Amino acid sequence: CGNMGGALLRRWQAEGLGPVTVIDPAARALPPGVVALPRPPETGKPDIVVLAVKPQVWASAVLPLAGRLGPMTLVISVMAGISTTDLARLFPGAGIVRAMPNTPAMVGQGMTALFTKDGDLVQGAAEALFQPVGQTLWLTDEAQFDTVTAISGSGPAYVFHFIEALAAAGAANGLDPAMAMRLARQTVIGAAALAAHDGASSAATLRER
């Protein structure tokens, strides 16, 4: 289920949601107690299918699921660049939701953008699934996903890279590397907590202070 799928799975497990079966021919590093199969089971229809594979292989990866879903199955895609129209062609009649979560979902601090064309019932089911992993935001235009992916989907990597660079600069200026990393990590953690706590002040105001 990959980095993003794994982050969601761990949070859902912590919230007692399930049971969950991972379909992956090379599943690894899964949480304890999660069933992993190389292909979809021969019987039964899932309530929810989460598609968390690389976009370039999505068609071949999900083809075994075509025709296997029930009329009430909810299909949630966390794949970048694959539209709800693409998914509806493969899963006609299913409720389809696109989602762009991020890896802080693993600790319940994620930001997930969501989009569906399939009405309030589908929207409510998806909301219930993603609320335990952090905040949610419903998009009115599917085209907004490109920008959302850049900001919140990829954004955590830039924060982690900033921590790396800050710590490296500290070490380059004579600090013990472990000390520099501790300073860098807590500085970013504290600044983020302050931004969350002081929601009335803009980021510019916090910076100026």
Side-chain angles (χ1 to χ4, degrees):
C1 56
N3 291 326
M4 191 63 255
L8 293 170
L9 175 56
R10 283 167 174 79
R11 188 61 187 171
W12 287 332
Q13 269 204 313
E15 292 292 318
L17 302 179
V20 176
T21 299
V22 171
I23 310 299
D24 190 332
R28 59 189 186 278
L30 295 178
V34 174
V35 175
L37 300 175
R39 61 189 64 84
E42 296 297 326
T43 59
K45 294 186 183 296
D47 296 318
I48 301 171
V49 172
V50 179
L51 304 176
V53 298
K54 295 186 184 303
Q56 60 267 33
V57 301
W58 84 274
S60 60
V62 305
L63 195 59
L65 291 169
R68 300 286 306 280
L69 307 187
M72 297 299 290
T73 299
L74 175 63
V75 176
I76 294 178
S77 167
V78 299
M79 302 180 295
I82 308 302
S83 71
T84 54
T85 301
D86 294 331
L87 294 162
R89 279 197 287 264
L90 196 61
F91 302 115
I96 294 172
V97 176
R98 275 188 71 183
M100 178 50 61
N102 56 17
T103 52
M106 187 184 297
V107 292
Q109 293 293 323
M111 183 70 240
T112 304
L114 298 149
F115 176 83
T116 186
K117 298 175 182 176
D118 293 330
D120 292 344
L121 189 62
V122 167
Q123 184 170 333
E127 182 76 21
L129 195 62
F130 280 96
Q131 275 190 341
V133 305
Q135 295 189 33
T136 59
L137 176 70
W138 285 91
L139 304 181
T140 57
D141 183 350
E142 191 169 2
Q144 293 173 319
F145 268 114
D146 289 343
T147 305
V148 167
T149 301
I151 296 173
S152 59
S154 302
Y158 289 91
V159 176
F160 301 143
H161 188 54
F162 178 68
I163 293 172
E164 282 184 288
L166 205 56
N173 282 276
L175 291 180
D176 174 80
M179 179 188 296
M181 179 55 74
R182 182 181 175 189
L183 287 165
R185 278 178 179 265
Q186 187 54 39
T187 296
V188 172
I189 291 168
L194 178 58
H197 177 75
D198 189 357
S201 298
S202 68
T205 298
L206 294 173
R207 171 180 55 77
E208 289 162 1
R209 289 176 186 164

